[in-house]
Amino acid sequence: MSRKPASLIVAPPALALAMALAFAPVMTTQAVAQSRDPDPRSQDRGPRVSPDEARRRGGEAGGGRPIDTQPRRDGNYSVLVERDGRVREVVVDGQTGQARPDNNNQRRRPN
């Protein structure tokens, strides 16, 4: 007795698409609206103050000339300010643009 090999059933592309859509999750209108809303927690993560604005405010708070501005991981900015031959770091809040309280980060500028 000879056996015939089993043939594979291949569905036409339109039928395959229809089957995939039939098993796709259905989103209600409320779920669709929620998916478009930004995550309220993500609004607090990124900085709202531009680096140029942070540089300007850091220079004002440090009472000197801003040298460098770097974003920090916590959403704030670190601004290096030179005044009277010393370089100090001023931390500017990324949300409000206000300088953080003085933390005495001063060092002499290398010659």
Side-chain angles (χ1 to χ4, degrees):
M1 239 183 183
S2 71
R3 291 187 139 175
K4 289 171 90 178
S7 64
L8 296 174
I9 299 175
V10 179
L15 181 60
L17 179 63
M19 289 176 56
L21 291 176
F23 293 108
V26 177
M27 295 180 69
T28 64
T29 55
Q30 182 180 7
V32 170
Q34 286 177 352
S35 68
R36 289 187 199 138
D37 292 340
D39 185 10
R41 294 173 292 174
S42 67
Q43 293 174 356
D44 297 334
R45 290 186 190 148
R48 292 187 178 180
V49 177
S50 70
D52 293 332
E53 181 69 15
R55 182 181 184 99
R56 185 183 65 77
R57 292 188 183 193
E60 290 173 358
R65 181 177 63 94
I67 298 172
D68 190 24
T69 305
Q70 295 292 322
R72 295 167 42 131
R73 288 183 179 174
D74 58 2
N76 298 326
Y77 290 98
S78 174
V79 181
L80 294 180
V81 179
E82 179 185 17
R83 180 177 143 194
D84 298 330
R86 291 190 177 264
V87 177
R88 66 184 294 192
E89 178 185 21
V90 177
V91 177
V92 176
D93 191 301
Q95 299 293 318
T96 64
Q98 300 294 317
R100 291 282 175 107
D102 186 19
N103 52 3
N104 284 333
N105 283 342
Q106 291 188 3
R107 53 188 178 262
R108 185 150 305 272
R109 183 169 185 159
N111 294 334

